[in-house]
């Protein structure tokens, strides 16, 4: 166990070390974040003005599709798994992940899966162009040939997620240090435990639905074909049975991250720890019974509309508990505003805005107006960008000193935050207005009525993109030339990960620590 | 402190994950390209890439499992590590449950909502010319609307419950009996192993379980042949054929995997390769001849596979090598949980696909 890392490339190819694997996940996610971001900028450049300027409509569709798929499956999810790999064993006092070899398998599938997915851009007929939700029959009868490779890359990235999730559950349930009872676990551990459960529950459903597509395309089955007695709406039900828990998979670990950061910089323990745990579990449970709120306009019976509407609004209750707990944690705290805290506070505020627009969308009769407009785009970008992306950014600033033993440049971190914060709001806030004014999603050309809002959005998008380049620069500069960080890193940091040296030794907790 | 905890074994490095990834990648991309070539009618290397990937993947898994077994024999696996394997297998089975849930959900949705809605109001009146919902769906909406010109044809006959009086001539009934019996026999194998006394009894019960699994597969194949050749029931026979073949087909694939898992455990528990190989070769040959070697009657197919199974049971009765201990038999236990899971899925199929079909 006393061995250090292997020399050369084999360290990364054959590693079983949770820190190495976490690092690879995070860098892979960063790469995908830039690729998905590049595709987003193609979209925003085309939408800068009405009319067709830069890309063909068919290519525009490929961009919206790949932007969504890459951000969801390539950037956000691997980033959270990377953070889980790095932090969970250190937070619960475990020597490594429970199944270290499978851990590396989970990682290595991803670069291959995304290489296959991105390579479809160069195929005849182009990349998938049916949106990240790949509704049938767009993705079956009318799909480009590359849909087959898309299906198989979804299959293997799903396998990667399931193995990753199994590993995380086994680690949390089996590897805690003596005395680390469930209700003493840091919230990041709790939220990941519940996220992993969601992953194992719904990734197989995604595998099932893409398999049905594959069979419809190549073997003449009728799952999504009314001519044979199937139903395209069936696709939407199965997809969203996966899809709604999936969006919580992308936000629950974020709750865990800000629940770690806010107490540190407010210098107070987290307010309402146990209610946070129960709220997370409630949100996970509710995520299974709200899926059809994505389909209010598809033609459901009134009872269905009502049930899914009320169930969806219920989610506001546990989410509200969380927001109040974060605010109450800050209440009368001795707050300082280092970069991780800035991102976390922005998370609380902006995620709440996204939550409120979600409530507006949850009202079925109103949703008939909002459906498939930029209002929906604004809503889910407000929960995903300041939600998932900001929390991941906050986590990187918060734990990077522990990972590499060096401190980032605080002034530059704050500059990054403010550019990102302004860029984000300039990009996505106007989308509420263009959406309410009726602008539909996924179109390359539009009515000049929405021109001003779109121009503002596009300027904001490039600003936000520039902020991320700065982020990359800050991270690299920290790793190669940052000032030495102390073991505690932060004045009021709390938890097992701060008891080990900075940078964290290659193997931590080979003998479990005592947890009081 | 050092003595208080058994160390948790973390392997230094491993080549398995990367090579397994390469195998998996070649498998799925080969398969994808092969399917695209078939749909386009073009020539390509898809099939070869698929087979190459599969060989690599299986080889890596063989070595990987072998490595884990070696580590266990070397005493590297602490009780805590073994619990990780237990959790891992348990959650893997849960993920499989959810995979089947998607297909059962599709069946439920089609029967409860999609078909009635297709046959109501303007949908039936204008789109699908007075289509009538029924289950099993013999007349597809395409047939109702387009008559002779329809491309999506329903089956001529279906697989549904022929009435309890006719169950003895009904293959799904026998398949249910076989699988339920096999769940009991694998439990007997487990209890005889747990009692720690009689390894030979364990091998015998396990061999009986594996045999029941193989016989199930013969009957299942027979049912498919019957459906394709005599009932006009095919994968593309509308939504009935779709759900029937996808549900029973994925279940059959899982039975195959479960049987192979149990067979591997049995082979490990039999003394040597000289004893292991003959029944395995006999089984492969019997299956090949039964399924592809001409039109044999079902009784002959069953006799052939049964004879191979007889050889398996005979070999299992030989001197066991005692590889499993009552407190160290995770490979077997995981396989048996998987087997019970496959059995439960079958009960769901029997009820929702056959009896309520």
């Amino acid at each position: 166990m006393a061995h250090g890392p292997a020399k050369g490339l084999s360290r990364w190819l054959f590693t079983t070390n949770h820190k190495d694997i976490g690092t690879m996940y995070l860098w892979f996610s960063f790469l995908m974040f830039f690729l998905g971001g590049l595709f987003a900028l193609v979209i925003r450049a085309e939408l800068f003005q009405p009319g067709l300027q830069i890309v063909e409509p068919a290519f525009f569709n490929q961009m919206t599709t790949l932007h969504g798929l890459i951000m969801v499956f390539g950037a956000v999810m691997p980033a959270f798994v990377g953070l889980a790999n790095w932090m969970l064993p250190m937070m619960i006092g475990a020597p490594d992940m429970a199944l270290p070899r499978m851990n590396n398998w989970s990682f290595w599938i991803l670069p291959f899966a995304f290489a296959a997915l991105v390579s479809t851009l160069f195929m005849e007929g182009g990349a998938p162009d049916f949106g990240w939700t790949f509704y049938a029959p767009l993705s079956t009868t009318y799909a480009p040939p590359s849909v087959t490779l898309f299906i198989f890359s979804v299959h293997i990235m799903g396998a990667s997620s399931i193995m990753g999730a199994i590993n995380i559950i086994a680690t949390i349930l089996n590897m805690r240090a003596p005395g680390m009872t469930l209700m003493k676990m840091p919230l990041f551990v709790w939220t990941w435990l519940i996220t992993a459960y969601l992953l194992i529950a719904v990734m197989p459903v995604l595998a099932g639905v893409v398999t049905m597509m594959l069979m419809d395309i190549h073997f003449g089955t009728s799952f999504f074909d009314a001519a044979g007695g199937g139903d395209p709406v069936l696709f939407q039900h199965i997809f969203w049975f996966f899809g709604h828990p999936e969006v919580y998979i992308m936000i629950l670990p974020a709750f865990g991250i800000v629940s770690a950061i806010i107490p540190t910089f407010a210098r107070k323990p987290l307010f309402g720890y146990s209610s946070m745990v129960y709220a997370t579990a409630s949100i996970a449970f509710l995520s299974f019974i709200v899926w059809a709120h994505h389909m209010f306009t598809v033609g459901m019976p009134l009872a269905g509309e009502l049930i899914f509407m009320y169930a969806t609004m219920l989610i506001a209750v546990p989410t509200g508990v969380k927001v109040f707990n974060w605010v109450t944690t800050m209440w009368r705290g001795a707050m300082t505003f280092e970069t991780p805290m800035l991102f976390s506070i922005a998370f609380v505020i902006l995620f709440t805005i996204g939550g409120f627009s979600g409530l507006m969308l949850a009202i079925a009769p109103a949703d008939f107006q909002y459906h498939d407009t930029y209002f929906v785009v604004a809503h889910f970008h407000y929960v995903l960008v300041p939600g998932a992306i900001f929390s991941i950014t906050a986590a990187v600033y918060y734990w990077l000193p522990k990972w590499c033993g060096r401190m980032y440049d605080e002034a530059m971190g704050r500059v990054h935050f403010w550019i990102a914060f302004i860029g984000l709001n300039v990009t996505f806030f106007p989308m509420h207005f263009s959406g309410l004014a009726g602008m539909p999603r996924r179109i390359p050309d539009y009515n000049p009525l929405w021109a001003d809002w779109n121009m503002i959005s596009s300027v904001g998008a490039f600003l936000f993109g520039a902020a991320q380049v700065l982020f990359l620069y800050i991270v690299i500069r920290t790793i190669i030339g940052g000032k030495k960080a102390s073991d505690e890193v932060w004045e009021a940091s709390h938890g097992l990960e701060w008891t080990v040296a900075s940078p964290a030794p290659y193997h931590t907790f080979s003998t479990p620590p005592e947890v009081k | 402190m050092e003595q208080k905890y058994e160390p948790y074994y973390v392997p230094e490095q491993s080549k398995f994950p990367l090579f397994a990834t390469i195998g998996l990648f070649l498998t799925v991309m080969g398969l994808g390209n092969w399917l695209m070539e078939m749909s386009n009618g073009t020539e390509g290397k898809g099939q070869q890439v698929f087979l190459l990937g599969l060989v690599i993947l299986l080889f890596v898994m063989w070595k990987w499992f072998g490595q884990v077994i070696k580590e266990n024999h070397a005493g590297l696996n602490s009780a805590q590590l073994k619990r990780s394997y237990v959790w891992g297998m348990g959650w893997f089975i849960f993920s499989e449950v959810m995979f089947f849930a998607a297909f059962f959900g599709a069946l439920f949705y089609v029967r409860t909502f999609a078909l009635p809605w297709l046959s109501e109001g303007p949908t039936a009146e204008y789109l699908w010319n007075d289509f009538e919902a029924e289950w099993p769906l013999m007349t597809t909406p395409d047939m109702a609307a387009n008559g002779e010109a329809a491309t999506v044809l329903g089956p001529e006959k279906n697989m549904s419950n022929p009435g309890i009086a006719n169950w003895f001539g009904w293959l799904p009934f026998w398949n249910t009996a076989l699988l339920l019996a096999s769940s009991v026999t694998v439990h007997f194998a487990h209890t005889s192993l747990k009692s720690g006394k009689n390894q030979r009894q364990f091998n015998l019960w396990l061999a009986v379980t594996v045999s029941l699994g193989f016989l199930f597969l013969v009957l299942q194949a027979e049912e498919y042949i019957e459906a394709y050749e005599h009932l006009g029931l095919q994968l593309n026979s509308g939504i009935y054929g779709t759900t029937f073949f996808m549900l029973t087909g994925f279940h059959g694939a899982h039975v195959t995997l479960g049987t192979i898992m149990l067979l591997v455990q049995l082979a490990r528990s039999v003394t040597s390769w000289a004893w292991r190989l003959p029944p395995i070769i006999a089984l492969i040959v019997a299956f090949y001849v039964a399924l592809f070697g001409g039109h044999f009657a079902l009784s002959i197919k069953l006799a052939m596979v049964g004879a191979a199974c007889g050889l398996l049971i005979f070999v299992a009765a030989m001197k066991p090598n005692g590889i499993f201990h009552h407190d160290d038999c995770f490979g077997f236990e995981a396989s048996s949980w998987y087997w019970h899971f496959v059995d439960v899925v079958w009960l769901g199929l029997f009820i929702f696909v056959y009896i309520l079909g």
Side-chain angles (χ1 to χ4, degrees):
Chain A
M1 289 299 285
H3 299 274
K7 294 272 178 290
L9 194 61
S10 90
R11 166 178 177 182
W12 304 102
L13 296 180
F14 306 135
T15 186
T16 52
N17 182 283
H18 71 101
K19 299 183 181 82
D20 284 351
I21 296 171
T23 303
M24 290 196 293
Y25 264 113
L26 287 168
W27 278 115
F28 173 76
S29 148
F30 216 162
L31 177 70
M32 288 294 119
F33 182 48
F34 276 103
L35 188 62
L38 186 69
F39 294 165
L41 292 183
V42 173
I43 296 170
R44 280 319 324 170
E46 175 57 50
L47 293 176
F48 184 70
Q49 287 182 318
L52 293 175
Q53 286 92 21
I54 299 170
V55 294
E56 292 292 310
F59 188 72
F60 185 89
N61 290 343
Q62 297 171 28
M63 288 292 105
T64 54
T65 306
L66 287 180
H67 164 69
L69 289 170
I70 286 177
M71 286 303 196
V72 168
F73 295 102
V76 173
M77 288 168 68
F80 280 135
V81 181
L83 291 169
N85 257 293
W86 252 103
M87 302 319 299
L88 292 186
M90 293 210 288
M91 285 177 158
I92 61 174
D96 205 295
M97 296 292 280
L99 303 160
R101 280 173 290 216
M102 193 172 83
N103 198 15
N104 199 27
W105 197 15
S106 308
F107 169 73
W108 273 107
I109 288 174
L110 287 180
F112 285 85
F114 280 91
L117 182 63
V118 174
S119 76
T120 58
L121 271 174
F122 307 102
M123 274 178 72
E124 211 174 314
D129 56 1
F130 28 67
W132 89 273
T133 53
F134 52 100
Y135 277 13
L138 284 179
S139 60
T140 52
T141 315
Y142 306 105
S146 58
V147 67
T148 306
L149 294 189
F150 156 80
I151 288 170
F152 282 109
S153 64
V154 168
H155 265 136
I156 61 175
M157 67 181 80
S160 152
S161 288
I162 292 170
M163 288 193 286
I166 288 175
N167 220 334
I168 285 168
I169 290 199
T171 305
I172 297 173
L173 294 180
N174 191 31
M175 307 282 286
R176 278 169 289 130
M180 177 63 80
T181 57
L182 286 174
M183 290 311 272
K184 277 188 194 162
M185 296 193 309
L187 258 178
F188 182 64
V189 182
W190 255 115
T191 51
W192 242 117
L193 177 66
I194 292 167
T195 303
Y197 166 75
L198 290 180
L199 275 169
I200 301 176
V202 300
M203 290 313 281
V205 176
L206 175 69
V209 78
V210 293
T211 306
M212 292 177 200
M213 279 166 56
L214 184 77
M215 298 306 287
D216 272 14
I217 293 168
H218 290 290
F219 297 96
T221 56
S222 307
F223 282 111
F224 310 130
D225 182 4
D231 189 347
V233 177
L234 170 63
F235 174 90
Q236 299 184 23
H237 279 290
I238 307 177
F239 176 82
W240 285 114
F241 184 84
F242 147 80
H244 201 77
E246 166 68 21
V247 301
Y248 291 173
I249 286 162
M250 292 189 286
I251 203 64
L252 294 186
F255 293 166
I257 291 166
V258 295
S259 301
I261 292 174
I262 289 178
T264 300
F265 297 100
R267 291 167 181 75
K268 273 176 67 192
L270 182 70
F271 185 88
Y273 170 88
S274 54
S275 68
M276 284 296 219
V277 172
Y278 300 136
T280 311
S282 312
I283 292 172
F285 167 74
L286 289 171
S287 75
F288 285 106
I289 54 167
V290 297
W291 76 87
H293 67 213
H294 297 268
M295 314 161 44
F296 278 145
T297 60
V298 86
M300 272 189 294
L302 183 61
E305 305 265 329
L306 288 175
I307 291 168
F308 284 107
M309 174 170 99
Y310 289 128
T312 304
M313 295 178 117
L314 266 185
I315 298 173
V317 177
T319 313
V321 167
K322 285 180 166 296
V323 172
F324 282 116
N325 280 347
W326 291 319
V327 172
T328 320
T329 305
M330 289 186 269
W331 176 252
R332 294 191 168 173
M335 289 212 285
T336 50
F337 299 95
E338 286 86 344
T339 312
M341 183 62 162
L342 288 173
F343 275 103
S344 298
I345 295 173
F347 170 96
V348 175
I349 296 166
L350 299 180
F351 178 79
T352 305
I353 293 178
F356 280 136
S357 59
L359 270 175
M360 293 171 71
L361 289 162
I363 302 165
D367 181 72
F368 275 63
Q369 292 299 315
Y370 308 139
H371 188 87
D372 248 346
T373 68
Y374 260 80
F375 190 78
V376 178
V377 178
H379 157 68
F380 69 73
H381 281 92
Y382 258 89
V383 285
L384 282 174
V385 182
I389 301 293
F390 268 24
S391 74
I392 293 163
T393 314
V396 170
Y397 280 114
Y398 186 57
W399 283 307
L400 187 63
K402 179 54 65 185
W403 299 337
C404 69
R406 293 172 188 279
M407 201 64 191
Y408 64 89
D409 183 330
E410 188 59 53
M412 273 171 47
R414 288 181 195 196
V415 170
H416 170 214
F417 168 75
W418 284 109
I419 301 177
F421 180 82
I422 293 166
L424 161 99
N425 285 294
V426 171
T427 311
F428 297 113
F429 211 78
M431 289 183 186
H432 290 109
F433 304 129
S434 54
L436 288 177
M439 177 162 167
R441 295 169 72 175
R442 293 171 175 147
I443 50 160
D445 185 11
Y446 52 90
N447 190 316
L449 171 68
W450 307 305
D452 292 350
W453 296 127
N454 274 284
M455 195 172 279
I456 298 170
S457 279
S458 291
V459 171
F462 279 87
L463 191 63
F464 188 77
Q468 305 316 319
V469 177
L470 178 63
F471 183 35
L472 177 66
Y473 173 75
I474 295 171
V475 169
I476 291 174
R477 229 186 76 151
T478 307
I479 293 171
I480 58 179
K483 278 207 252 5
K484 201 85 187 70
S486 68
D487 291 356
E488 300 79 29
V489 182
W490 310 106
E491 191 180 276
S493 56
H494 181 75
L496 283 177
E497 76 262 36
W498 309 109
T499 63
V500 301
S502 297
Y506 197 57
H507 293 291
T508 36
F509 301 125
S510 296
T511 44
E514 285 293 339
V515 180
K516 307 237 163 38
Chain B
M1 263 302 264
E2 287 291 334
Q3 301 306 315
K4 210 167 146 192
Y5 304 105
E6 254 188 297
Y8 193 91
Y9 174 63
V10 179
E12 266 308 299
Q13 275 202 317
S14 175
K15 294 192 169 76
F16 298 131
L18 186 65
F19 286 104
T21 306
I22 292 169
L24 181 67
F25 180 74
L26 293 177
T27 307
V28 296
M29 289 305 137
L31 185 55
N33 279 297
W34 186 17
L35 290 175
M36 286 193 285
E37 287 153 16
M38 283 201 295
S39 292
N40 302 336
T42 51
E43 290 290 312
K45 292 269 180 284
Q47 190 181 5
Q48 287 93 321
V49 175
F50 165 69
L51 291 173
L52 173 72
L54 203 59
V55 168
I56 294 176
L57 185 60
L58 290 176
F59 178 75
V60 175
M61 286 176 77
W62 178 277
K63 299 296 277 185
W64 193 336
F65 283 120
Q67 175 73 25
V68 172
I69 292 167
K70 263 187 232 154
E71 286 165 5
N72 190 36
H73 288 189
L76 292 170
N77 295 357
S78 62
Q80 193 186 17
L81 184 80
K82 289 174 184 172
R83 276 201 301 280
S84 290
Y85 287 143
V86 170
W87 280 118
M89 190 66 194
W91 286 101
F92 169 65
I93 290 176
F94 174 61
S95 79
E96 292 272 42
V97 170
M98 293 308 294
F99 181 78
F100 276 99
F103 287 87
F104 277 107
L107 177 68
F108 170 80
Y109 182 84
V110 164
R111 291 185 57 174
T112 316
F113 300 114
L115 289 178
W117 289 344
L118 276 172
S119 65
E120 281 170 9
T123 320
E125 202 176 329
Y126 298 114
L127 286 178
W128 304 112
N129 200 15
D130 298 324
F131 165 71
E132 296 272 353
E134 57 174 348
W135 195 266
L137 183 71
M138 311 302 281
T139 308
T140 63
D142 194 17
M143 290 157 83
N146 298 320
E148 293 290 307
T151 51
V152 189
L153 302 179
E156 288 144 30
K157 290 182 191 150
N158 60 60
M159 284 289 173
S160 297
N161 186 4
I164 202 151
N166 302 318
W167 272 25
F168 287 112
W170 190 39
L171 289 181
F173 167 74
W174 291 106
N175 267 344
T176 309
L178 284 175
L179 269 197
L180 284 182
S182 75
S183 235
V184 175
T185 55
V186 81
H187 180 67
F188 285 165
H190 196 192
T191 46
S192 46
L193 186 65
K194 280 287 173 196
S195 72
K197 280 171 284 196
N198 202 335
Q199 191 91 29
R200 185 167 294 179
Q201 211 174 46
F202 164 73
N203 277 7
L204 272 175
W205 281 121
L206 192 52
V208 171
T209 309
V210 171
S211 304
L212 291 169
F214 280 126
L215 293 176
F216 172 92
L217 289 173
V218 177
L219 290 190
Q220 183 80 11
E222 182 69 14
E223 194 184 22
Y224 279 15
I225 294 168
E226 167 86 2
Y228 262 80
E229 294 187 350
H230 302 297
L231 306 183
L233 174 59
Q234 304 182 350
L235 196 52
N236 55 12
S237 306
I239 195 66
Y240 179 70
T242 297
T243 51
F244 174 80
F245 282 107
M246 291 304 285
L247 276 160
T248 56
F250 269 118
H251 176 262
H254 283 73
V255 173
T256 311
L257 183 60
T259 310
I260 292 172
M261 283 162 71
L262 288 173
L263 181 64
V264 169
Q265 308 309 323
L266 177 61
R268 287 175 59 204
S269 188
V270 167
T271 320
S272 69
W273 279 108
W275 287 106
R276 289 169 194 167
L277 274 181
I280 292 173
I281 292 170
L283 275 165
I284 293 170
V285 171
F287 258 97
Y288 186 82
V289 174
L291 299 184
F292 305 108
H295 286 274
F296 294 106
L298 177 59
S299 53
I300 298 179
K301 291 177 190 172
L302 284 174
M304 278 193 290
V305 175
C309 290
L311 183 62
L312 186 72
I313 294 171
F314 173 74
V315 167
M318 294 287 113
K319 189 172 171 298
N321 69 357
I323 194 129
F324 293 114
H325 301 280
H326 64 95
D327 59 349
D328 187 16
C329 52
F330 176 72
F332 164 72
E333 284 184 326
S335 310
S336 76
W337 300 333
Y338 195 77
W339 193 251
H340 289 306
F341 150 71
V342 164
D343 203 30
V344 170
V345 172
W346 175 260
L347 283 182
L349 287 178
F350 189 57
I351 294 168
F352 292 109
V353 173
Y354 291 104
I355 295 190
L356 301 179

